[in-house]
Amino acid sequence: MKTKILTDKIEDIEIAANIIAGGGLVAFPTETVYGLGADAMNPEAVKKIYRAKDRPSDNPTIVHISSNADMKRVTTEITHDMEVLMKKFWPGPMTMVVPKKKELPYVTTGNLETVGIRMPENEVARKLIELSGCVIAAPSANLSGKPSPTTYQHVIDDLQGRVDAVICSRQCRIGIESTVIDLTEEEPVILRPGFFTRENIQWALKKPVIMDPTINKDPRDEDEFHPKAPGMKYKHYAPSAEMIIFQGEQDEVLDAMDLEKRERESLGQQVCILSYEGDEAAAAHDFFAELRQADKEGYDIILAAALPEKGIGFSVMNRMLKSAGFNIRRVEVGSNDYSNSR
Ligand code: AMP
Ligand code: MG
């Protein structure tokens, strides 16, 4: 298939909207990562997303809407909590998991009775949804398992020839995927951490919000590792290079990474260092792009400094831990005498 390369100008968004309305696939920018969209109500169109990405069929998409009025096309009722979150966080990087309407095909929700819904803040995304007249099912626009795409070039690298069109726009402002919050249980549960934190959501709802206990835990350490968000169980975000996360006090970590780098280089390896020195927003913005860049430049190994697991740092660590396959090295305080945790 020949992939149309489009700009983010209105004439091109119109072309893309017609492709979606006609049952085709379009990759488009959002503030989180680029998404791969199809008409959420058209099962044949949504099936094409799974084929193009090589995505397991039980991993649901997120349904993207452009107005509050779209809600009634996909869900049955709007509760008080939903109303509060819509008002405080939409348009924006927050996905609500709620009961699905029966007209919404199961292929869109990975066979679940619930649906994840989000209204993106990105104006190109919202214009595309509006002009298509559809609600748009979209997971991230990468090949399954690869780092999420935060520039149009990442999308083209993965999906050229597999999708009808790519809308080329700016680098994604946030750079990690949306916060996913499940509102179908007695208490709200965060299934995937993102830009909006547990504290933000608790403050809005004025009640406790639970963090899914499997988040940021090594699946090999858990007897019962059953995350509720299907996507969380898959191998994810993985670069081709080996990756080690260094955890500990900042100066010690930087010294340990430097030592490791020199050792690896003496063995002829190309070493990439990732360190954000506590800047969580920069880490979110750059992390996926840097993994892809490291692969492009042919690095053998990536050494990454862990971020403190609070606020957005917790959400970035969620991606970093998976990228590294939980390959962590804990650096002991007061020495560079460290050892692998496994
Ligand atoms: P992606 O945008 O590629 O990260 O894919 C969407 C992700 O949203 C999935 O992998 C799930 O983690 C989450 N998600 C979407 N719908 C649901 C749902 N109904 N229940 C739980 N998680 C969901
Ligand atoms: Mg994804």
Side-chain angles (χ1 to χ4, degrees), residues 60-240:
T61 65
I62 291 171
V63 176
H64 292 68
I65 64 174
S66 65
S67 72
N68 286 348
D70 283 340
M71 285 296 274
K72 61 177 180 304
R73 299 163 76 172
V74 277
T75 188
T76 44
E77 117 181 83
I78 296 180
T79 63
H80 174 70
D81 283 356
M82 286 163 73
E83 245 168 33
V84 171
L85 296 184
M86 286 161 71
K87 210 164 173 180
K88 298 263 196 230
F89 300 116
W90 279 2
M94 198 225 18
T95 299
M96 282 189 252
V97 171
V98 297
K100 91 171 187 65
K101 199 157 172 171
K102 89 173 175 315
E103 289 78 3
L104 191 69
Y106 280 111
V107 55
T108 300
T109 65
N111 278 322
L112 298 171
E113 294 298 337
T114 56
V115 55
I117 313 175
R118 173 166 113 80
M119 188 194 294
E121 169 204 286
N122 182 289
E123 306 229 326
V124 176
R126 281 220 308 289
K127 203 69 194 163
L128 174 70
I129 301 165
E130 189 192 316
L131 292 177
S132 71
C134 301
V135 287
I136 297 187
S140 51
N142 52 324
L143 287 173
S144 199
K146 294 248 248 152
S148 295
T150 55
T151 70
Y152 67 78
Q153 190 58 50
H154 299 157
V155 179
I156 290 173
D157 289 346
D158 277 16
L159 298 180
Q160 188 158 39
R162 292 174 162 251
V163 302
D164 295 293
V166 178
I167 298 180
C168 299
S169 188
R170 278 168 302 175
Q171 179 161 3
C172 301
R173 182 172 69 79
I174 292 173
I176 56 170
E177 306 85 345
S178 58
T179 306
V180 176
I181 178 145
D182 183 0
L183 298 175
T184 64
E185 304 284 345
E186 202 130 303
E187 287 180 298
V189 187
I190 293 179
L191 303 182
R192 177 173 76 185
F195 178 80
F196 291 128
T197 62
R198 181 184 181 181
E199 292 71 31
N200 296 150
I201 296 172
Q202 288 188 152
W203 167 82
L205 292 177
K206 302 196 171 23
K207 64 178 175 187
V209 169
I210 297 166
M211 188 64 80
D212 180 327
T214 62
I215 290 175
N216 291 10
K217 299 279 171 19
D218 186 340
R220 296 167 301 183
D221 290 341
E222 306 290 309
D223 293 336
E224 301 269 325
F225 189 78
H226 300 300
K228 208 180 155 202
M232 302 296 275
K233 70 179 185 239
Y234 297 109
K235 182 169 182 274
H236 243 100
Y237 317 130
S240 311

